[in-house]
């Protein structure tokens, strides 16, 4: 059965590609995720075209196309700086590495091409000539029902390619869909294939999940099915770890709710996911408060995320950001002095301040609606205002803001280059943070002389 779908959102360049193919007597369809997004009225992240033109034809018809995956029948056509993948219809054979088909063969049947795709909602094609939908697996029905279902036998499909189980979790969050029960069950049964997926691919799927409204949908699926125990056993430690009177959820539930509430880019949300990962290892029962405490969980957590981020191949910058946010997410602002605010900014770094506010806001919301108090937000607002005032005053917050530098110290105190210079500058900064009027060249040099004298004693 076919249905007519509005093609208004399809870029003119996609029509042009299909027309060029039609002029050469080839058939062409818009296919895959962009068809799903077209039907849902969502913005497609990329537009893919499939055709019965063979790879050699494609290179002839689009002489400037980039042969990005020519062995698999894919070329990239660039139009107006946009990239469009044009792929020869293909079926697939066996998979022995758990990721890629051993060989591909080209077919002229669109249904065979759709059958190799992962989920029914991703296995539809539209002919741009007449707008007819080709939907052999009832993807449209599943879109209506809000169900993510593997094409064919889920167990077999997930045993072929281990990435699909992770895509299932990610699409569930991205589309807000439930997993069809058989598809859900098959994830836990095919974990051995999943183990072959590279860390980079896992990280990419996590980052995509973080762009959805409720990334927790993906993470709950990963937890339930055993994927998370493979990817990040450290996070599993939080499951069932009850907290204290300030929280509704266990540590895991709080991480989920904080991540969902976190407004920001994917790396910030990853930080929300991990912010309390150190809690299970630091939990202790206090006889005094008759409740659990989590002393130093932020330090323990920061030490835990470092190897996790290395394992998942986050970039050095991303890892540094996640680590900092986990390490510095705890503070109790209760009308600090100006010097205390300057010390805080110096410790966390001006470049982390906005991230920390966003994380704190999510952390508050993540306690659960009944536990959030107006004071939580008042205190955050008061810190923000205080920090803003301190920054506007332009007081020194790093050694670069001091009125002396390493060269001055070498010249005036006859010091040689080395670690000592940095140590002296740090000590000078401490004094200036306590009292900004100390940021005066003569006074700093005098103080530096004292420090050097003290070191010699
Ligand atoms: P996104 O919104 O992330 O772009 P998408 O569904 O378009 O989602 P792509 O990775 O762009 O996903 O892939 C395009 C299409 O190729 C998918 O919709 C699906 O039909 C097919 N596909 C991609 N990866 C796989 C896979 N691992 N196994 C089977 N089919 C796949
Ligand atoms: Mg896509």
């Amino acid at each position: 059965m076919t249905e007519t779908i509005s093609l208004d959102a399809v870029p003119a360049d996609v029509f042009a590609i299909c027309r060029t193919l039609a002029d050469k007597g080839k058939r062409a369809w818009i296919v895959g995720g962009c068809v799903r997004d077209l039907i849902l009225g969502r913005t497609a992240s990329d537009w893919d075209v499939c055709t019965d033109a063979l790879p050699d034809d494609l290179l002839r018809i689009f002489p400037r196309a980039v042969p990005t995956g020519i062995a698999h029948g894919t070329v990239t056509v660039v139009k107006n700086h946009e990239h469009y993948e044009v792929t020869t219809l293909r079926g697939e054979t066996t998979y022995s590495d758990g990721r890629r088909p051993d060989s591909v063969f080209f077919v002229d049947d669109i249904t065979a091409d759709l059958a190799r795709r992962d989920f029914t909602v991703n296995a539809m094609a539209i002919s741009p000539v007449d707008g007819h939908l080709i939907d052999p697996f009832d993807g449209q029905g599943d879109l209506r029902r809000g169900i993510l279902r593997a094409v064919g036998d889920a167990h077999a499909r997930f045993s072929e390619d281990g990435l699909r189980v992770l895509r299932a979790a990610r699409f569930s969050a991205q589309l807000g869909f439930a997993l069809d029960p058989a598809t859900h069950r098959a994830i836990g049964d095919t974990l051995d294939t999943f183990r072959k997926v590279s860390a980079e691919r896992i990280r990419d799927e996590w980052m995509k999940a973080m762009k959805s409204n409720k990334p927790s949908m993906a993470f709950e699926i990963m937890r339930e099915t055993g994927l998370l125990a493979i990817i990040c056993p450290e996070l599993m430690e939080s499951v069932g770890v009850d907290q204290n009177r300030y929280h509704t959820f266990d540590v895991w539930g709080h991480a989920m709710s904080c991540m969902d509430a976190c407004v920001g880019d994917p790396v910030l949300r990853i930080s929300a996911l991990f912010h309390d990962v150190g809690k299970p290892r630091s939990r202790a029962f206090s006889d005094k408060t008759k409740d659990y405490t989590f002393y130093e969980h932020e330090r323990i957590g920061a030490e835990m995320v470092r190897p996790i981020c290395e394992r998942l191949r986050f970039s050095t910058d991303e890892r540094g950001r996640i680590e900092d946010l986990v390490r510095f997410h705890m503070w109790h602002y209760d009308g600090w002095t100006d010097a205390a605010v300057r010390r805080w900014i110096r410790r966390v770094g001006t470049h982390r301040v906005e991230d920390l506010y966003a994380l704190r806001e999510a952390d508050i919301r993540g306690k659960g609606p009944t536990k959030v108090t107006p004071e939580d937000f008042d205190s955050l607002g008061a810190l923000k205002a205080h920090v803003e005032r301190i920054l506007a005053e332009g007081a020194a917050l790093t050694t670069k803001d001091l009125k002396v530098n390493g060269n001055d110290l070498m010249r005036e105190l006859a010091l040689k280059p080395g670690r000592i210079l940095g140590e002296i500058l740090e000590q000078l900064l401490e004094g200036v943070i306590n009292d900004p009027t100390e940021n005066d060249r003569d006074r700093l040099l005098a103080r530096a002389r004292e420090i050097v004298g003290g070191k010699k004693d």
Side-chain angles (χ1 to χ4, degrees), residues 373-384:
T373 66
E375 291 77 52
D376 290 330
F377 289 112
D378 290 349
S379 147
L380 176 58
L383 174 67
K384 282 187 195 178

Side-chain angles (χ1 to χ4, degrees), residues 18 59 108-109 139 339 341 389 391 432 451:
C18 294
L59 291 175
D108 63 1
D109 174 11
V341 172
R389 176 164 66 74
L391 292 177
V432 167
I451 295 170

